[in-house]
Amino acid sequence: MEEKILKLFRKNEDGYLSGEEISDKLGVSRSAVWKHIEKLRGLGYEFDAVPHLGYRIRKKPDKLYAFELEAILKNHVIGKRVLYYDTISSTNTTAYDLAKKGFKEGTTIIAEGQSKGRGRLAREWSSPKQKGIYLSIILRPNLLPYQAPKITLITAVSICEAIRGYCGAEVLIKWPNDILLNNKKVAGILTEMEAEQDSINFLILGIGINVNTRISELPKGASSISEEAGDNILRIELLKVILETFEQNYATFKREGFSPFRHRWKNLSATLGRRVRATCMHRKIEGEAVDIDSDGALKIRLDTGFHEKVVAGDVMLLR
Ligand code: BT5
């Protein structure tokens, strides 16, 4: 019922709606309308209530409520179904459990905060409540397991394109999964999957973005879009743009593979042309990052002149 009331207000953007109109349109009593308005107040909506005119929404809460997102999202697959949580341990863990139960491709788990947000290799992901965007998407791509890293790369491209389009911040990608702004990490991607030897059952795409987070709430070397780009950002609007950009890119990827993204990734790269130290399974490889190949592996030119490819791992930018 609260969602229906919000829908009525959405149709009537600047005007007032009287309790009577709402009760007529929704077929409930005036006192029921009042109770639902109180419930919405509890969710953070602020109303002006003027005698003879009725109610008007003065302010919406800065929340990523599923029903608010669904009302503005133009997607067909990604985020078609959204599960919203105030705080959970990790959206990736919840998404994994739901994927095992058969939830469809595109199902998106969103949380305002995470108590055990994860990075790769069991690292921690700081997830201050209501400051960032923490989400996981269930994907069921028809790929071989070794091709999964490409999903991380097209996601990185999508996040950069969305942030640049939405607020102009010049974010770049540090291979494989970091999004940097002014050389500081503002977002990360965690891709996990359940796979057989020759097929992926499902893949969980986890995305964490520091949007309005203060530097003091983040680990060293991290920052947020608002800290670097100035303004306080409407998280739900940015989230919409990210999901819409990803849906388009994921559809292109399914049709045409990674090749349309390779040059876009290179244009957004903070890695290529830099001297790097890559750590891959305890091995350290140092040299100049010169390219990514058609599978998304990073090509490094060693000081000896030979090249090595790194398929997975961490990269430190040296100069
Ligand atoms: C990542 O790992 O960058 C992947 C982060 C994915 C987070 C999302 S949030 C939604 C979903 N649910 C989850 O539980 N996770 C995903 P990695 O490359 O391993 O980087 C981890 C390192 O980044 C940590 O060891 C810290 O040094 C640093 N870090 C931790 N929290 C950070 C933050 N909020 N912003 C920037 N850096 C952070």
Side-chain angles (χ1 to χ4, degrees):
M1 194 51 73
E2 283 75 37
E3 285 180 49
K4 286 189 179 154
I5 293 178
L6 288 175
K7 245 187 208 154
L8 288 183
F9 278 109
R10 217 169 274 129
K11 278 194 202 144
N12 188 38
E13 209 66 72
D14 346 280
Y16 282 90
L17 279 176
S18 70
E20 201 177 340
E21 275 174 281
I22 301 174
S23 88
D24 280 354
K25 285 198 171 124
L26 300 181
V28 294
S29 70
R30 294 276 299 273
S31 72
V33 169
W34 184 82
K35 276 190 195 141
H36 292 302
I37 295 278
E38 282 310 296
K39 246 188 171 167
L40 284 168
R41 285 197 166 114
L43 289 174
Y45 291 81
E46 292 175 24
F47 291 90
D48 289 325
V50 179
H52 308 300
L53 281 175
Y55 299 102
R56 188 170 70 171
I57 296 182
R58 183 184 340 122
K59 197 166 168 236
K60 285 186 177 181
D62 175 20
K63 298 272 188 160
L64 305 175
Y65 291 139
F67 50 84
E68 287 287 356
L69 181 63
E70 280 160 0
I72 54 173
L73 192 65
K74 296 205 177 76
N75 281 359
H76 299 290
V77 180
I78 307 298
K80 206 58 201 152
R81 169 124 197 236
V82 173
L83 284 87
Y84 167 89
Y85 298 86
D86 183 62
T87 303
I88 48 176
S89 68
S90 153
T91 55
N92 261 41
T93 308
T94 301
Y96 202 96
D97 294 344
L98 294 175
K100 270 190 112 47
K101 288 187 186 147
F103 274 67
K104 282 198 190 141
E105 169 151 285
T107 304
T108 301
I109 319 302
I110 296 172
E112 297 288 356
Q114 300 182 113
S115 55
K116 283 206 175 77
R118 290 187 278 117
R120 295 173 305 152
L121 306 170
R123 294 174 192 140
E124 199 181 305
W125 183 258
S126 311
S127 315
K129 201 167 165 181
Q130 241 182 290
K131 300 292 182 67
I133 294 175
Y134 318 111
L135 73 104
S136 301
I137 306 170
I138 297 175
L139 298 176
R140 298 184 181 278
N142 189 8
L143 290 178
L144 294 168
Y146 83 89
Q147 296 171 310
K150 293 181 197 170
I151 301 265
T152 305
L153 301 189
I154 67 155
T155 305
V157 169
S158 304
I159 294 173
C160 285
E161 290 176 346
I163 294 175
R164 282 169 173 251
Y166 182 69
C167 60
E170 297 194 343
V171 278
L172 293 171
I173 307 164
K174 178 161 86 80
W175 188 91
N177 68 320
D178 291 352
I179 308 296
L180 307 183
L181 185 53
N182 301 336
N183 270 321
K184 292 165 214 158
K185 181 162 171 176
V186 295
I189 301 161
L190 173 66
T191 313
E192 297 177 308
M193 63 177 164
E194 191 187 80
E196 310 293 326
Q197 206 160 12
D198 53 3
S199 69
I200 293 177
N201 294 341
F202 60 79
L203 188 147
I204 306 300
L205 178 61
I207 300 174
I209 306 174
N210 306 325
V211 184
N212 296 320
T213 329
R214 302 270 71 96
I215 283 189
S216 56
E217 299 171 295
L218 292 168
K220 205 167 157 257
S223 189
S224 69
I225 303 173
S226 77
E227 286 276 16
E228 299 301 314
D231 289 333
N232 217 45
I233 286 160
L234 266 176
R235 289 180 309 143
I236 197 159
E237 292 289 338
L238 177 60
L239 173 59
K240 165 189 150 72
V241 180
I242 286 170
L243 294 178
E244 286 175 358
T245 309
F246 180 71
E247 169 150 309
Q248 271 192 8
N249 287 343
Y250 185 56
T252 307
F253 172 70
K254 278 182 152 178
R255 259 192 339 263
E256 300 170 39
F258 183 60
S259 61
F261 295 98
R262 196 165 157 215
H263 72 280
R264 280 154 74 183
W265 189 95
K266 284 166 118 176
N267 284 337
L268 290 165
S269 165
T271 318
L272 299 185
R274 301 278 298 265
R275 188 166 178 87
V276 298
R277 184 179 303 132
T279 312
C280 172
M281 314 262 258
H282 306 297
R283 247 184 91 222
K284 291 203 181 346
I285 302 162
E286 199 173 312
E288 189 193 341
V290 287
D291 204 357
I292 52 160
D293 73 4
S294 54
D295 284 326
L298 185 69
K299 200 169 162 191
I300 298 177
R301 184 170 53 231
L302 312 179
D303 297 337
T304 55
F306 286 105
H307 289 90
E308 282 232 33
K309 275 187 187 171
V310 189
V311 181
D314 279 309
V315 156
M316 194 195 272
L317 302 177
L318 298 176
R319 55 173 194 261

